[in-house]
Amino acid sequence: MKTVVILVNPKYGGNLGAIARNMMNFDVEELRIVGTPEILDDEAYIRAVHAKNILNNAKFYSKLEDAISDIDFTVATTGAVCGDRNVNRVPITPRELAKKHSSISGTLGIVFGREDDGLKNEDVELCDILVSVPTSNKYPILNLSHAVSVILYEIYFESFSEDIPYDLNMKNASVDEKNALLRFFNEFVDRSKDVPDYRKDICKTIFKRIVGRAFISGKEANSLICVFKDKCPK
Amino acid sequence: MKTVVILVNPKYGGNLGAIARNMMNFDVEELRIVGTPEILDDEAYIRAVHAKNILNNAKFYSKLEDAISDIDFTVATTGAVCGDRNVNRVPITPRELAKKHSSISGTLGIVFGREDDGLKNEDVELCDILVSVPTSNKYPILNLSHAVSVILYEIYFESFSEDIPYDLNMKNASVDEKNALLRFFNEFVDRSKDVPDYRKDICKTIFKRIVGRAFISGKEANSLICVFKDKCPK
């Protein structure tokens, strides 16, 4: 599903630059703005850094209705959650949205409101669903660009099926690799003359726990196997 | 587990303000800075908005070693993932960190590097583990304060066991509430003289699918039950 970010009457160019950068960080290309191109000031371009093209290609609209007219599924965002007395304001979490996102096709539009007072009720009513980032009661309102980063991150992250989605030749140790490491370590301990027999089991248990907690990679597991394999401890 | 944010030689006050705000948004109170108090300029206080106290209470250190000396578990963050040839640079995701966070006690320190070139290898070596936010190859480096927001959000979100952690009298419809709504709708359809018998089943199926997709609240389910209950359709 393609994602489009829609900003309703943003006030600060700096926020637009930060949002463009976040969009490129999380592979979202299309920015629509309810407002006029004057918002794209120097600060916007400075903060966009390598994402200036997203600003250059932004589309401008005079009304939210027009900006979402061709969007298949429209999400309003809010930091002001008003309880289930107001049915327009019953939100889901960004994680629920991300799960939904992966199961539907077409274009998803995520609508963000003004920096000072967010989306109006009439804006929310134009959308299919409401999303809110869970935050502390002490200070529930996120800065606009940070709300964008959390929501786009959740959607981006959901698109991976692997445990660690970094694009490199790295992968978590498999169960077999971990078990091989533990087996070589245990044999090493059994052969060791420095570890008293009554302490051998606890050493094996501790090592196993450490490996379990450490999220080790296959490369790391194999490197450690070389440490213990067929060594003859004193 | 208590969380502490540690910034190594940040350069821009604006980023510090944005980070303080993010910390308060996600219930993290303690900020440590490797650097000098001069970094807290007007821009820092402007961007902190309601989180100025976090800046006022920030502690300053001359070396990362000192800043983390009393931290139980230290996490280095990076946007530059170098593959498993460099074992110091094998990261876990923020989500894996969040899961780990909920299972250990003590103080967690999350260390963020300079805006321009991140943490040095010697900084990373002082830490227990490395975390990286998964990002697009097209533009992998997040702005500092946005990296903070994603990582603190993940840890904050993991602390909830409920589906929707908003602090209000709102809850998702239970299975019973959804089933009651479907039952009343189905009876309504069965009584209807306008829906031909051969179309009744498909109407029931479509309605069930819509309710399933809609993340409806208990309040919404009960409101809709009133629409269908004991009505006598034409």
Side-chain angles (χ1 to χ4, degrees):
Chain A
M1 185 173 217
K2 180 182 159 192
T3 302
V4 174
V5 169
I6 301 151
L7 306 178
V8 178
N9 301 130
K11 296 169 93 171
Y12 305 113
N15 273 334
L16 263 76
I19 289 167
R21 180 169 173 175
N22 269 293
M23 289 171 61
M24 197 165 162
N25 288 149
F26 296 120
D27 257 345
V28 175
E29 292 181 1
E30 190 174 334
L31 177 62
R32 301 183 183 188
I33 298 170
V34 179
T36 55
E38 287 75 47
I39 185 76
L40 295 180
D41 57 14
D42 288 350
E43 184 70 12
Y45 280 93
I46 290 168
R47 298 209 31 213
V49 197
H50 299 298
K52 293 179 177 66
N53 262 349
I54 288 178
L55 297 181
N56 288 334
N57 296 329
K59 297 173 191 165
F60 291 86
Y61 301 83
S62 56
K63 291 189 298 184
L64 178 58
E65 289 93 316
D66 299 335
I68 63 175
S69 63
D70 61 336
I71 301 278
D72 297 296
F73 191 83
T74 314
V75 180
T77 59
T78 184
V81 177
C82 302
D84 61 358
R85 291 279 150 198
N86 182 342
V87 293
N88 288 322
R89 288 281 183 185
V90 177
I92 63 171
T93 64
R95 192 153 308 169
E96 287 174 305
L97 174 65
K99 286 182 186 135
K100 198 176 187 71
H101 181 269
S102 65
S103 70
I104 41 184
S105 58
T107 307
L108 176 79
I110 312 180
V111 183
F112 296 88
R114 300 150 195 86
E115 286 91 343
D116 46 3
D117 57 355
L119 292 172
K120 295 177 183 164
N121 267 331
E122 52 262 39
D123 298 326
V124 174
E125 278 163 30
L126 293 171
C127 299
D128 295 305
I129 206 163
L130 186 67
V131 167
S132 186
V133 177
T135 43
S136 171
N137 297 329
K138 292 177 194 160
Y139 193 0
I141 305 300
L142 288 164
N143 169 285
L144 174 58
S145 70
H146 294 84
V148 172
S149 69
V150 166
I151 292 171
L152 297 190
Y153 158 77
E154 275 281 7
I155 291 170
Y156 184 76
F157 193 78
E158 182 68 23
S159 68
F160 293 102
S161 52
E162 301 284 320
D163 276 349
I164 299 186
Y166 305 106
D167 182 49
L168 44 78
N169 294 320
M170 188 205 69
K171 59 181 195 344
N172 275 336
S174 67
V175 173
D176 284 348
E177 284 171 321
K178 277 190 213 171
N179 284 343
L181 171 60
L182 297 179
R183 194 174 70 247
F184 283 111
F185 179 82
N186 291 350
E187 289 170 7
F188 178 85
V189 170
D190 284 337
R191 288 195 308 273
S192 170
K193 295 186 177 60
D194 285 341
V195 183
D197 284 351
Y198 72 94
R199 300 209 62 187
K200 287 184 172 175
D201 278 354
I202 189 70
C203 288
K204 295 174 189 172
T205 301
I206 288 170
F207 188 75
K208 185 178 177 183
R209 278 193 203 141
I210 290 171
V211 169
R213 277 205 307 266
F215 299 97
I216 67 172
S217 71
K219 168 84 178 167
E220 291 172 315
N222 287 315
S223 297
L224 286 182
I225 283 172
C226 297
V227 174
F228 303 116
K229 193 176 179 180
D230 294 325
K231 292 287 183 304
C232 188
K234 301 183 292 176
Chain B
M1 184 171 218
K2 180 183 158 188
T3 302
V4 173
V5 169
I6 301 152
L7 306 178
V8 178
N9 300 131
K11 297 169 93 172
Y12 305 112
N15 272 333
L16 264 76
I19 288 167
R21 179 170 173 174
N22 268 294
M23 289 172 62
M24 195 164 164
N25 289 149
F26 296 120
D27 257 345
V28 176
E29 291 180 3
E30 191 174 332
L31 177 63
R32 301 184 182 188
I33 298 170
V34 179
T36 55
E38 287 74 48
I39 184 77
L40 296 181
D41 58 12
D42 288 350
E43 184 70 12
Y45 281 93
I46 290 167
R47 296 206 34 210
V49 196
H50 299 299
K52 294 180 176 65
N53 263 348
I54 289 178
L55 296 181
N56 289 334
N57 296 330
K59 296 172 192 166
F60 292 86
Y61 301 82
S62 56
K63 291 189 299 186
L64 178 58
E65 290 92 316
D66 301 334
I68 63 175
S69 63
D70 62 336
I71 300 278
D72 298 295
F73 191 85
T74 314
V75 181
T77 58
T78 185
V81 177
C82 301
D84 61 359
R85 290 279 151 198
N86 181 343
V87 291
N88 289 322
R89 289 283 183 184
V90 177
I92 63 170
T93 63
R95 192 153 308 170
E96 287 173 304
L97 173 66
K99 285 181 188 136
K100 198 176 190 69
H101 181 268
S102 64
S103 69
I104 41 184
S105 58
T107 306
L108 175 79
I110 312 179
V111 183
F112 296 89
R114 301 152 195 83
E115 285 91 342
D116 45 5
D117 57 356
L119 292 172
K120 295 176 181 165
N121 267 331
E122 52 262 39
D123 299 326
V124 174
E125 278 163 30
L126 293 171
C127 300
D128 296 305
I129 206 164
L130 187 66
V131 167
S132 187
V133 177
T135 43
S136 170
N137 298 330
K138 290 177 196 160
Y139 192 1
I141 306 299
L142 286 165
N143 170 284
L144 174 57
S145 71
H146 293 84
V148 173
S149 68
V150 166
I151 291 172
L152 297 189
Y153 158 77
E154 275 281 6
I155 290 171
Y156 183 76
F157 193 78
E158 183 67 23
S159 68
F160 292 103
S161 52
E162 301 283 321
D163 276 349
I164 300 188
Y166 305 105
D167 181 49
L168 45 78
N169 295 318
M170 186 204 71
K171 58 183 200 338
N172 275 336
S174 66
V175 173
D176 284 348
E177 284 171 321
K178 277 191 213 171
N179 285 343
L181 170 60
L182 298 179
R183 193 175 71 246
F184 283 111
F185 178 83
N186 290 350
E187 289 170 8
F188 178 86
V189 170
D190 284 337
R191 288 195 306 275
S192 171
K193 295 188 175 61
D194 284 341
V195 182
D197 284 350
Y198 72 93
R199 301 209 60 186
K200 287 184 174 178
D201 279 353
I202 188 69
C203 289
K204 294 174 189 175
T205 302
I206 288 171
F207 188 74
K208 186 178 177 183
R209 278 193 203 142
I210 291 171
V211 169
R213 276 202 311 263
F215 299 97
I216 67 171
S217 71
K219 168 82 179 167
E220 290 172 316
N222 287 315
S223 296
L224 285 183
I225 283 173
C226 296
V227 173
F228 301 118
K229 192 177 178 181
D230 294 325
K231 292 287 186 301
C232 188
K234 303 183 289 176

